Amino acid sequence: MRLTVQAAILGALLAALLTWLMINGKGEMDAAYAQTHRTVDAIALAESRMQHDVLRARTGLLRNYDPIVAHLREIQAARTGLQAASGPDDRAMRTLTEAIAREAQMVERFKTGNALVQNSIAYFDSLSDRLSEPDIDPNLARAIAALQIRVSELARDASPKHLDDIRARLDALAAGAPSNRGADIAAIVLHGRQLLELLPQVDTVTRSLPDASSEAARQALLEARRALRDQRQARADGFRLALYAAALALVALVVRVGLLMRAGTFILRRTIAFQSVAAQAANHFSASQPDEIAARIVDVMAMVGTGACTDHCYILMLDGSDTVHLWNRSGLPEPRGWPLAQRALVPDIIAAAEDYIFVETADAIGPPALVRPLAERGVATLTCARLRRGGRIVGVLCFERTVSVLPPWMRHSRGLLHVVAESFGAALERQHVWAERREIEATLRRAQRLEVIGVFASGVAHNINNVLNVLLGHAEIAADALPTDPGRAAEHIGLLVQAGGRAHEIAGQILDYGRRGCATQATSAVDAIVAETVDLIRTSTADPTAIRLTGTADGEPAQLQQVIHNLIRNAIQASEPGAAVDVQLERLRLPGRRVLSHGELPSGAYVCIRVSDTGRGMDEATRARIFEPFFTTRPAGTGLGLATAFEFVQEQAGAFDVRSAPGVGSTFAVWLPALPEAEPGVSAAGGTVMIVGAARSALQDDEEILAALGYEPIGFTDPDAALTALRAEPGRFDLLIVENQPAGSLGLAFARRAARIVDRPIVLSLSATDTVRPEVLSAIPIVDVAHRPWRSNALALTLRRHLGSEARSAQPRRRVAAERAAAQ
């Protein structure tokens, strides 16, 4: 790692050096010199054109000086560009600037002088033309014409001889001028002499302008730039050589780093391979059952020892069992002194500061107390890990090498031995927990058997006892009233039959519990159940008017009656004699989630049954435990009434809300989901229903239930006779109820054949243990399922869904009952 960091730092420094050398080794002067050369050529071209235009202006061919000014500006702009690219101490640039400035001054002098010359010539021509009129003396006119010709030739010939000739003619003209033309002759002579005076000066400037050219300064500037370019080019060549040397150094560094990376890759590859071994060891333990771990420990030790290139691997348990596990590399004997010599090291291993110990005897690395005895036994390296259980050391896991020293890649992978040790520790812990769990489960099963027997017996006795009290009460009243009041006796005998039916239903619930372990949700008229329960309790109380019933609503008949019975009984027992007990029923809709004292309800429609008394009430501690099994505050109580009620309400996805205070009384509110109630007229829906079953007695019971609901039932025990009836009168039957028999000709087989004959809804009747896959129902199709034992209200709702007014007015439909069957 340190070498890698050093190589990275050195590589960064070399990269920075290469960048600096590359920047300084660029041949930028070639471009700068080329630009300077182009600028100097532009100055020379502009200067040449300016001199040409000066000559044209001197001869009178150029009427204005705009081209000369434009060329002069070009020269000035080029000079400014050169100055910007030059330093302040550039002598060649200063010389060029001075030369251009002198040339500009001479051009300005030429422009001034030449303007005067051209004006004088023009004025001279104008006066000469005025003196050439017909009334002028012919001799004077000839003299002036000859002088005008001589002046016009000055543009081509300005030699001294020519000038002297013009001067002589001017003197002669001035001497012989007539008196009437004296002013004009004087003006001609004056301008002619001024012209002779200015013309030599202008010619001198014109002739000296090429000599004052900046050509020498331009050449000197180019030579200076060329020398600077050569100097910097030589410096750039030096930087390029240095760049080449740095590149070679970088290549050497890359080779070095490559070798280091190759070694690191080898270490990483071996480390990854050992990681895979560690993962396989952990998976091996995870895939093993707890009772198989002891038999597989040595196999996992062999797997890890081979992957770690060790010679010996052993585990010494310190939990009092003195268990040892040993693995040796193939062809090697047991370690020297096994296992006593190894156990002798345990105190020093436990006394070490860390749970993971690494010892290399050749370099004396590790605790001194372990280095010497290991060296005496010929151990080259030792890796040891302490195994813990709940903070207590229960064993040690050790890896020994005696044939060779620890390979380099293993020095970087010793941390993986921590993972291996944790895998072994977790496996041994899992084995220990499994053994303890087996003991606890055996004890718990014994206790549960005893508890179930007691709870079951107490629950049955408690629930049946309530119904028996009612039975006895009605029987006594009927016996007393039979001789004198047969009508009253008949009424109580009817109530006696109802109570017996409730007892039968309680027994059915107990059988359902034994078969399925849960109650079945179904709808029923809660107000009828509550009213019946109140009537039953009134017959056994001293003051029947003490119970006040208000409101209406709708739940699950038998157990719901037991819940209401227990709550009213508890309220009466907690109240003073003659005190009123209020029973209120109402249907409510919760707009949002509501938290009650014993449960939480989501939003939706609910039936609320409140039983209120003005008795002793309860404190907070008692209210927290009232639903615990066997908890009671009455010496004669069993503590199962409220516990049974609470379990039923929870199974129905409901909740209790208990409000009580000492001396104030208590209110028990039972909240149950409001299941869809039968619409008015369900029992009078009407229609003909075919029932196909196997047993005649059960078929007769089913026919009675359907007849009570207002339907015309026609039962068949022979499926062939039922199919014949369907073929003979396909429009006679409005719905078919088929009993499921997976092994016979009834059930799905009959439903499939019937569906080919008539297009009528088919309901499959299932027992509590029957299961049918939804896709099978979809294939026939079955529109609904009815679970036995049939509940009148639930069956009425099922028939209403498929035989209601809307279903009859529309074309018969085949609704698939897969979702309903899956949910139930």
Side-chain angles (χ1 to χ4, degrees), residues 350 362 379 530 585 626 696 761 808:
I350 296 176
V379 177
V530 175
L585 296 94
I626 55 176
R696 170 56 62 182
R808 292 186 178 187

Side-chain angles (χ1 to χ4, degrees), residues 149-419:
I149 293 172
R150 289 293 185 180
V151 170
S152 62
E153 291 176 351
L154 287 176
R156 298 187 301 274
D157 184 9
S159 60
K161 180 180 179 181
H162 192 72
L163 294 176
D164 291 341
D165 181 55
I166 294 175
R167 187 176 294 109
R169 290 179 182 275
L170 288 174
D171 292 340
L173 183 61
S179 56
N180 58 345
R181 295 292 184 177
D184 294 335
I185 297 300
I188 291 176
V189 172
L190 177 62
H191 281 282
R193 289 176 178 174
Q194 184 179 0
L195 184 61
L196 294 176
E197 182 180 354
L198 291 175
L199 191 59
Q201 297 177 6
V202 173
D203 289 341
T204 301
V205 172
T206 304
R207 285 192 297 271
S208 60
L209 190 58
D211 298 336
S213 174
S214 62
E215 182 178 359
R218 295 197 304 271
Q219 294 300 324
L221 179 63
L222 289 176
E223 289 297 331
R225 291 292 188 271
R226 187 179 296 109
L228 181 60
R229 181 197 63 180
D230 296 340
Q231 178 185 356
R232 292 190 177 180
Q233 188 64 41
R235 181 171 176 267
D237 292 340
F239 279 118
R240 290 192 183 95
L241 291 176
L243 181 64
Y244 177 72
L248 291 179
L250 183 60
V251 170
L253 177 63
V254 169
V255 172
R256 172 64 175 165
V257 172
L259 294 176
L260 292 176
M261 291 181 64
R262 183 172 180 272
T265 303
F266 174 76
I267 293 175
L268 182 61
R269 187 182 300 115
R270 295 301 300 269
T271 303
I272 293 174
F274 189 63
Q275 285 179 344
S276 176
V277 171
Q280 291 177 6
N283 293 336
H284 204 68
F285 278 134
S286 300
S288 303
Q289 297 298 324
D291 55 346
E292 300 174 346
I293 292 178
R296 296 192 177 185
I297 284 182
V298 176
D299 296 337
V300 178
M301 291 169 61
M303 184 188 307
V304 175
T306 303
C309 300
T310 59
D311 299 330
H312 308 284
C313 176
Y314 52 86
I315 295 177
L316 305 175
M317 297 304 298
L318 308 177
D319 56 356
S321 63
D322 293 333
T323 304
V324 295
H325 303 278
L326 173 66
W327 169 82
N328 303 308
R329 182 180 293 278
S330 178
L332 294 180
E334 295 180 350
R336 290 174 52 185
W338 172 260
L340 298 179
Q342 285 71 22
R343 285 195 175 275
L345 301 177
V346 170
D348 295 325
I349 294 174
I350 296 176
E354 298 180 355
D355 283 346
Y356 302 98
I357 304 170
F358 302 94
V359 180
E360 295 185 26
T361 58
D363 299 330
I365 299 175
L370 296 175
V371 173
R372 180 177 299 176
L374 289 173
E376 291 175 355
R377 288 199 297 111
V379 177
T381 60
L382 172 72
T383 302
C384 184
R386 296 187 294 214
L387 306 179
R388 292 183 176 271
R389 181 186 301 152
R392 185 171 62 91
I393 300 175
V394 297
V396 292
L397 171 66
C398 299
F399 298 88
E400 287 186 3
R401 293 182 62 86
T402 56
V403 177
S404 59
V405 298
L406 196 68
W409 69 268
M410 195 62 187
R411 300 177 188 272
H412 299 275
S413 304
R414 293 187 300 182
L416 291 174
L417 297 178
H418 299 182
V419 180

Side-chain angles (χ1 to χ4, degrees), residues 645-680:
F646 186 72
E647 180 181 359
F648 164 74
V649 171
Q650 279 191 324
E651 289 175 351
Q652 301 298 319
F656 268 94
D657 191 24
V658 182
R659 298 285 184 265
S660 181
V664 178
S666 303
T667 298
F668 283 75
V670 180
W671 291 74
L672 295 172
L675 301 177
E677 59 182 337
E679 300 176 4

Side-chain angles (χ1 to χ4, degrees), residues 498-567:
Q498 289 183 0
R502 294 302 182 196
H504 175 71
E505 201 163 358
I506 290 173
Q509 288 291 327
I510 294 174
L511 293 176
D512 288 343
Y513 174 80
R515 287 193 297 266
R516 300 188 301 273
C518 63
T520 303
Q521 284 191 341
T523 60
S524 61
V526 173
D527 51 352
I529 293 175
V530 175
E532 179 184 344
T533 306
V534 170
D535 289 340
L536 292 176
I537 296 177
R538 279 175 175 166
T539 61
S540 59
T541 59
D543 185 7
T545 63
I547 305 176
R548 296 197 297 261
L549 173 63
T550 59
T552 59
D554 65 328
E556 211 275 343
Q559 288 197 1
L560 178 58
Q561 186 179 36
Q562 290 302 312
V563 171
I564 301 170
H565 188 283
N566 289 333
L567 294 178

Side-chain angles (χ1 to χ4, degrees), residues 679-823:
E679 300 176 4
V682 168
S683 61
T688 304
V689 178
M690 173 185 283
I691 310 174
V692 182
R696 170 56 62 182
S697 59
L699 200 62
Q700 291 176 350
D701 294 339
D702 294 342
E703 289 177 341
E704 291 178 0
I705 294 175
L706 290 173
L709 294 176
Y711 295 94
E712 179 187 358
I714 300 177
F716 293 89
T717 57
D718 184 2
D720 293 332
L723 293 175
T724 301
L726 288 176
R727 293 189 185 95
E729 297 180 272
R732 177 183 180 186
F733 301 98
D734 299 304
L735 183 140
L736 283 68
I737 299 178
V738 181
E739 181 181 351
N740 184 42
Q741 282 190 352
S745 59
L746 291 179
L748 298 177
F750 175 83
R752 189 177 292 108
R753 296 172 63 187
R756 298 193 188 103
I757 300 174
V758 294
D759 186 10
R760 290 291 183 268
I762 301 176
V763 176
L764 188 65
S765 178
L766 300 176
S767 67
T769 58
D770 287 345
T771 58
V772 181
R773 295 196 306 273
E775 56 269 19
V776 175
L777 298 178
S778 302
I780 294 177
I782 300 295
V783 298
D784 217 326
V785 292
H787 287 276
R788 291 186 180 276
W790 287 355
R791 310 261 182 207
S792 298
N793 217 34
L795 183 61
L797 287 175
T798 301
L799 299 179
R800 175 65 177 170
R801 276 195 299 268
H802 306 293
L803 295 179
S805 58
E806 295 181 0
R808 292 186 178 187
S809 61
Q811 185 70 18
R813 296 172 296 178
R814 293 286 184 89
R815 295 179 54 203
V816 179
E819 295 182 0
R820 183 174 292 105

